[in-house]
Amino acid sequence: MLTADMHPLGFITVSPYPSASQLGFQCFGPCLSLFIRRSFREHDYAVDIMKGLIKWIQDNNLLKVIHAWHFVDDMIVAENLIAADFIYTGCLTLEPSAHGMPMMPARHMIQLL
């Protein structure tokens, strides 16, 4: 993701497979990954990009459900996922905050397409 003046915002990816589980994360199907640089976290860039990406997935009939999760203390990512129409599953797991780092509680969400 880049701003209009080509500054990197972060990245968003969608994997059709729960491949993040290889990194120690628990994924329950096709998974959306979102990382936003701290300096851009208060903007709506991520929501707009997620909605565009999800619309493209729907238009091309690629997936029926997308999984995402956020750490319980990361309210900015939680608000972005909610604004992009993800809903909570009720699943709470411990996930690594980074490779080799302590486990932290994470709330899981899905979006049905």
Side-chain angles (χ1 to χ4, degrees):
M1 300 182 310
L2 299 171
T3 63
D5 55 353
M6 303 305 285
H7 286 90
L9 297 169
F11 65 86
I12 295 176
T13 62
V14 174
S15 170
Y17 310 105
S19 59
S21 61
Q22 296 169 357
L23 301 174
F25 301 115
Q26 297 182 53
C27 295
F28 304 102
C31 187
L32 180 135
S33 297
L34 167 66
F35 170 77
I36 306 165
R37 286 181 49 200
R38 292 215 181 271
S39 56
F40 293 103
R41 295 186 103 205
E42 298 294 331
H43 302 281
D44 291 332
Y45 299 122
V47 175
D48 293 341
I49 292 169
M50 278 190 290
K51 285 186 173 188
L53 178 59
I54 291 165
K55 181 175 178 353
W56 181 83
I57 289 168
Q58 286 177 308
D59 291 349
N60 290 283
N61 199 30
L62 298 175
L63 300 171
K64 298 295 180 199
V65 64
I66 298 175
H67 171 261
W69 58 262
H70 66 85
F71 291 115
V72 296
D73 63 348
D74 195 341
M75 294 315 299
I76 293 173
V77 171
E79 291 169 4
N80 284 329
L81 289 168
I82 291 167
D85 300 323
F86 280 82
I87 58 172
Y88 285 102
T89 65
C91 182
L92 181 70
T93 60
L94 292 175
E95 304 293 343
S97 56
H99 185 68
M101 297 300 287
M103 302 293 267
M104 297 178 58
R107 291 196 172 107
H108 293 258
M109 305 176 83
I110 60 169
Q111 186 172 142
L112 303 174
L113 306 178

